[in-house]
Amino acid sequence: MKALCSLALPAFLFLTACGPDAPTEPNVLFILADDLGYHDLSVTGSDYYETPHLDALANAGIQFTSAYTTSRVCSPARASIMTGQYTARHGITDWIGAPTGEAWRKYGRHNKLLPPDYPHNLDTVHHTMAEAFGDAGYQTFFAGKWHLGDETSRPEDHGFAINKGGYSSGSPRGGYFSPWENPVLSNTTPGENLSMRLAQETTDFIAGIDRSKPFFAMLSFYAVHGPIQTTEEKWRKYRQKAVEQGVADSGFGMERRLPVRLHQDNPVYAGLVEQMDDAVGLVLNQLEALGLDENTIVVFTSDHGGVASGDAFSTSNAPLRGGKGYQWEGGLRVPLFLRYPRGIEATQQSKVPITGADIYPSLLSLAGIPATTRQLMDGRDLVANIDEGIAPDRPLFWHYPHYGNQGGDPSSVIRRDNYKLIHYHEDGKDELYDLYKDREERLNVAAQFPDLVSAMRTELLTWLESVGARFPEKDPIYDPVKAAGVAHFRRDTLKPRLELQRKNMLEDDYLPNADWWGSGK
């Protein structure tokens, strides 16, 4: 394997790594959060959630301030991370388990389109990131959420030698406190927290490895996916904090299809976020205790934006628009930090746009592993661009021909330079936003730049056709009267109900159930 210090990498990455005794093979720890929004961390702008361990990680390395997921929902984004491909190419375009075609009607949402089918397993034809590291002699380990297939498509079927907790489920069945319902993660201690257990499994793996070989460990939290749960202690801490900061009279506004949360003032969700941060701290502290931190690449990101609508209506991504499931920045922008090695004195920030598909080739490059020829990738190795802050001349693509559960529309997206075009499949209309001037995506400038819209739309649709993208079809029995009834319910019944739930959660005598989900507190 090529020596790490011989790589043509940004100088600031090696302030402490390239001494005479530097190892030639770095370890890799990849931490993936679920449903965590870009602004759900203190270091990325939250004044409500407290995340000291992730803040420290960000401040000891590089923060990518224009980092994106490849999909607004989980399974497609995770498939892109593992394969280095955009969703339209690998074909998993919705969360695995979502109905398609006429089966979509069972949800009773009365939409104009019927979503297309998609693969329900990550195809073993892909040579995944874990397999590439395994081929290079790395010990591979996975803990947490997988959601890329059933018993024939689990982590161990895609390059991970050890799997703790990863199977077909996209949510923490049984909740965040033991006993949970996970066929590949045993229950040992009543009330044990799931995030801490996954972190402990990861630290146990790191402590027990063969030190003569490097490791690639992926800690993929179920947090902060719903159902949102925390301890009474953490809830009370954040309930008090919300009161001290001042609770707004109204907590929800209306987006195009669903209510959307306006403020970060959910004390249960805040506790869930902090618990995940505690778990991150457990693993990072283990690296330091074992003397492995200065030779371990640590990456942290989220699979997509935070849940502002649908699901648990957990957080606000403001000032970014929307959230999980949405085509706007709140659904696509994610935190992404890279630390290697420990000892970087000051925070580095990179405005280079990077997506989940770029992580695979970039980590191979950082580890000194030759680019694999066994996997076609859309992602780029961006290591050479980090120091200069120069974005590669390329478009970014997204394709989500579904409605989902959070209120977003079937649409495809292209970003080129500072412009982002959203093409809607219901009516063929386009929105164009200048992200440098309007990160909130409130001013659609499509009418001002018709030539640019035409060029970007053509580039987008041509690329989608080239990779065999699937598209939704019109529902022949669409009923606009029934659709209007759904919209009326969401505005006049669901939104007031959510307001009451929010106020109840902030009451001093709030009690979600008899024993705080079995947390023991």
Side-chain angles (χ1 to χ4, degrees), residues 399-419:
H399 181 58
Y400 188 71
H402 310 273
Y403 288 98
N405 299 323
Q406 298 82 24
D409 293 272
S411 54
S412 300
V413 180
I414 178 174
R415 174 176 172 171
R416 181 171 279 286
D417 299 323
N418 55 309
Y419 285 103

Side-chain angles (χ1 to χ4, degrees), residues 86-89 378 397-399 458-469:
Y86 287 133
T87 61
R89 189 185 297 276
D378 296 303
F397 296 109
W398 294 266
H399 181 58
T458 298
E459 184 175 18
L460 172 62
L461 296 179
T462 299
W463 182 83
L464 289 172
E465 182 179 1
S466 74
V467 298

Side-chain angles (χ1 to χ4, degrees), residues 175-186:
Y176 282 99
F177 299 98
S178 182
W180 43 70
E181 301 167 9
N182 189 314
V184 285
L185 189 69
S186 62

Side-chain angles (χ1 to χ4, degrees), residues 237-259:
K237 168 185 173 179
Y238 285 102
R239 183 259 172 193
Q240 183 63 31
K241 188 171 184 177
V243 171
E244 292 174 352
Q245 290 182 343
V247 177
D249 292 336
S250 177
F252 293 89
M254 282 300 300
E255 256 303 345
R256 289 180 181 172
R257 297 184 184 274
L258 275 173

